[in-house]
Amino acid sequence: MGVTRTWAVALSGLEGTLIEVEADQTKQIPEFRIIGLGDRALGEAVQRVRNASENSRLDLPKRRLTVNLSPASLPKHGSGFDVAIAIAALATDGGMDAASIARTVHIGELGLDGRLRPVPGVLPAVRAAVRGGVHRVVVPWANKAEARLVPGAEVVGAATLAEVARLHGADVDVPVDVAPVASAENETTQGEPLDLGDVIGQDDAVEALVVAAAGGHHMLMVGPPGAGKTMLARRLPGILPALDDEAALVAASIRSLSGTVVNTLDRTPPFEAPHHSASIAALVGGGSRAVRPGAIARASEGVLFLDEAGEHATGVLDALRQPLETGRIDIHRAGFTASFPARFQLVMATNPCPCGNYGVRGASCSCPPAAIRRYRGRLTGPLLDRIDIEVQLARVRVADAPRVRAATSTAEARDQVAAARARAAKRLSETPWHTNSEVSGVWLRQGPLAPAPVIRRPLDAALDRGTLTLRSFDRILRVAWTICDLAARERLTTEDIGRALYLKKGIRS
């Protein structure tokens, strides 16, 4: 029997590469070796494959076996190559359909008893296989529903190695009393969206939240404890448009890489709220061997909420600057680089001072001036420069509470956001952008719909005084267009510019 070949997938971030698994035997002292720049988990696959084959009544050749993972120069991580290695090695003795093996991708970890254990990242791995032209994929039974979410994939879920061998023509008995290995961590649903109508007495903040949702803008809320900052942020995903097929697949792929078995495509934008003690690695992602996505990547296509932003370390907050500009996060390790999407909406909430009472009517602030400056200094100028909307919140007074009108409901806000996004998409139909937050500053200032000098005069004056940077100038124009879309106007007005300028400079004016 000559060299047998099958396929596996190596993941680097969200991108996958088809790996050709070659196995050959030679007439030498019996030995089993795996080559091709694998990590320690791959080196240990030798013993897992031996035991799994013996307990499945499948005989490995009693010769020197060499399994090569090609391309050999690409680093490979994890135990997801076990099934491909086992099938390729077993097929070197004949008894299996070589053509069937060669047109199949095998993904999964082997238990010593021969059962297939679920592995993280099955969804992006199957997507990579289909993009690479190999459509039949064998996965562990627990990952079957997840793999079937990929259009065009012919998915076979297997509980044991014997089942996989029989699929390729091996004459082996498949045990009927073996229960498939269940997933250790199943997906949890986000539940029903929280209603924006629950927020009372913060009409300006609700209006700003709708503007942020309509244009995909980043937002900062400043106010004392109990003003409703967290309450507002948690209602943002409910008024955002539902994810389309591609965005839902990307979000599900990142959850899969995080170790969660995904059973359905969730159309609700994800919401990530890391604790203020989270490290840079927790936010950005990382790992010494297999790179796991951090909160930034998990929030892609949705919302990243940083509560108590003034308590986050300055280095952690500054780590947001590059993803906010590029929409991607790159993690560099010795020998490889992993890249994840980072198309998220940033919402930050912070108190005005460490005790939360600075400037609050009827409250007494006990913070020294130096502590207040240090607390506010955590939000650096370059980071604030990338925030489109800044909102100041005050506590709702008890005397006013019975008379205040409930804010816009989630359903009403969602309709407003959908209509505004439709107008923006129509206006930008001949450009590469879809929302106002994505539009190039040059196009905003010099394009066919650039505002007349008389309209943008307040912005020019602020830029001339040095109170605005050119980046902030462009961001205010983007917010102005969103306000214009919400008002169903075709061109920018001075009112739109003024409102956008207030939303940008509101907490610092």
Side-chain angles (χ1 to χ4, degrees):
M1 187 70 180
V3 176
T4 59
R5 294 178 173 87
T6 189
W7 298 95
V9 177
L11 290 173
S12 178
L14 208 59
E15 301 301 319
T17 303
L18 275 175
I19 301 298
E20 189 175 34
V21 182
E22 305 173 299
D24 192 21
Q25 55 171 290
T26 56
K27 297 180 180 178
Q28 297 180 31
I29 298 172
E31 187 183 8
F32 192 170
R33 297 188 62 190
I34 299 173
I35 60 176
L37 207 57
D39 65 353
R40 183 173 179 178
L42 259 171
E44 294 171 344
V46 170
Q47 199 57 50
R48 288 195 296 273
V49 170
R50 283 190 187 278
N51 287 60
S53 299
E54 184 174 343
N55 290 323
S56 301
R57 295 182 175 84
L58 294 164
D59 296 325
L60 285 168
K62 299 297 189 287
R63 297 184 178 185
R64 171 170 288 185
L65 268 173
T66 302
V67 175
N68 179 46
L69 308 177
S70 178
S73 60
L74 181 71
K76 303 161 191 76
H77 310 277
S79 57
F81 295 83
D82 286 4
V83 179
I85 292 170
I87 291 298
L90 290 166
T92 58
D93 243 359
M96 292 192 202
D97 184 351
S100 173
I101 294 172
R103 64 182 182 88
T104 306
V105 170
H106 298 88
I107 302 170
E109 176 186 329
L110 285 174
L112 298 184
D113 57 358
R115 291 189 297 172
L116 271 62
R117 298 181 178 276
V119 292
V122 164
L123 185 55
V126 175
R127 293 187 77 198
V130 171
R131 285 197 300 266
V134 185
H135 293 265
R136 186 162 76 160
V137 185
V138 173
V139 300
W141 186 265
N143 294 122
K144 183 178 178 181
E146 176 180 334
R148 285 185 169 174
L149 296 175
V150 180
E154 178 191 342
V155 178
V156 179
T160 64
L161 180 60
E163 284 185 50
V164 183
R166 189 166 184 174
L167 171 70
H168 300 304
D171 184 13
V172 60
D173 293 331
V174 176
V176 295
D177 58 342
V178 176
V181 179
S183 169
E185 184 178 352
N186 286 312
E187 185 176 26
T188 57
T189 58
Q190 298 190 44
E192 291 296 323
L194 301 172
D195 200 301
L196 200 58
D198 296 336
V199 181
I200 60 172
Q202 299 291 2
D203 290 351
D204 286 346
V206 169
E207 179 189 346
L209 194 74
V210 172
V211 173
H217 304 292
H218 308 305
M219 183 175 179
L220 168 66
M221 294 180 285
V222 179
K229 303 184 295 294
T230 303
M231 191 177 188
L232 281 161
R234 291 192 175 276
R235 281 152 179 78
L236 178 56
I239 65 176
L240 291 173
L243 301 180
D244 58 23
D245 290 344
E246 179 61 24
L249 274 172
V250 169
S253 295
I254 295 172
R255 296 199 304 276
S256 176
L257 277 174
S258 300
T260 301
V261 174
V262 180
N263 297 316
T264 58
L265 282 185
D266 191 351
R267 304 288 176 170
T268 303
F271 182 86
E272 285 289 325
H275 192 262
H276 63 260
S277 63
S279 64
I280 293 179
L283 199 67
V284 172
S288 58
R289 295 182 178 91
V291 175
R292 289 294 185 91
I296 287 176
R298 295 195 303 272
S300 192
E301 310 296 344
V303 178
L304 176 65
F305 176 49
L306 299 185
D307 201 2
E308 305 294 346
E311 298 290 347
H312 284 263
T314 302
V316 172
L317 294 174
D318 285 343
L320 295 167
R321 287 155 54 179
Q322 184 253 351
L324 286 173
E325 287 296 316
T326 64
R328 297 198 66 80
I329 184 73
D330 297 317
I331 301 172
H332 297 270
R333 294 293 181 270
F336 70 95
T337 300
S339 182
F340 296 100
R343 296 183 296 271
F344 60 89
Q345 235 179 299
L346 176 64
V347 178
M348 296 193 296
T350 187
N351 295 331
C353 68
C355 77
N357 291 325
Y358 181 75
V360 178
R361 182 170 53 181
S364 175
C365 176
S366 59
C367 302
I372 297 175
R373 288 195 299 271
R374 185 166 56 250
Y375 186 82
R376 292 186 169 189
R378 299 269 178 89
L379 302 179
T380 61
L383 177 61
L384 291 176
D385 216 25
R386 290 166 169 83
I387 301 299
D388 303 333
I389 297 173
E390 302 174 10
V391 180
Q392 182 82 46
L393 279 77
R395 288 181 181 148
V396 177
R397 289 180 294 168
V398 175
D400 291 341
R403 297 197 299 271
V404 295
R405 178 181 57 84
T408 306
S409 71
T410 290
E412 294 169 340
R414 190 188 301 118
D415 290 342
Q416 295 174 26
V417 169
R421 288 210 177 198
R423 293 186 189 98
K426 181 179 179 181
R427 182 176 65 254
L428 302 172
S429 59
E430 297 182 0
T431 72
W433 311 296
H434 303 286
T435 60
N436 290 321
S437 62
E438 303 168 342
V439 180
S440 160
V442 175
W443 193 87
L444 286 169
R445 287 179 267 110
Q446 303 175 11
L449 295 178
V454 67
I455 299 296
R456 71 179 204 187
R457 184 177 298 161
L459 284 181
D460 291 334
L463 188 65
D464 185 60
R465 290 194 305 269
T467 56
L468 282 184
T469 65
L470 190 58
R471 179 189 285 122
S472 294
F473 185 102
D474 294 339
R475 289 190 177 278
I476 291 171
L477 278 180
R478 295 183 185 114
V479 175
W481 271 113
T482 301
I483 296 170
C484 180
D485 290 331
L486 285 166
R489 288 191 286 267
E490 297 297 325
R491 299 297 297 254
L492 284 180
T493 66
T494 306
E495 180 184 351
D496 300 326
I497 297 286
R499 182 60 181 166
L501 189 59
Y502 171 76
L503 288 176
K504 174 61 180 173
K505 305 294 289 183
I507 71 168
R508 288 177 284 173
S509 58

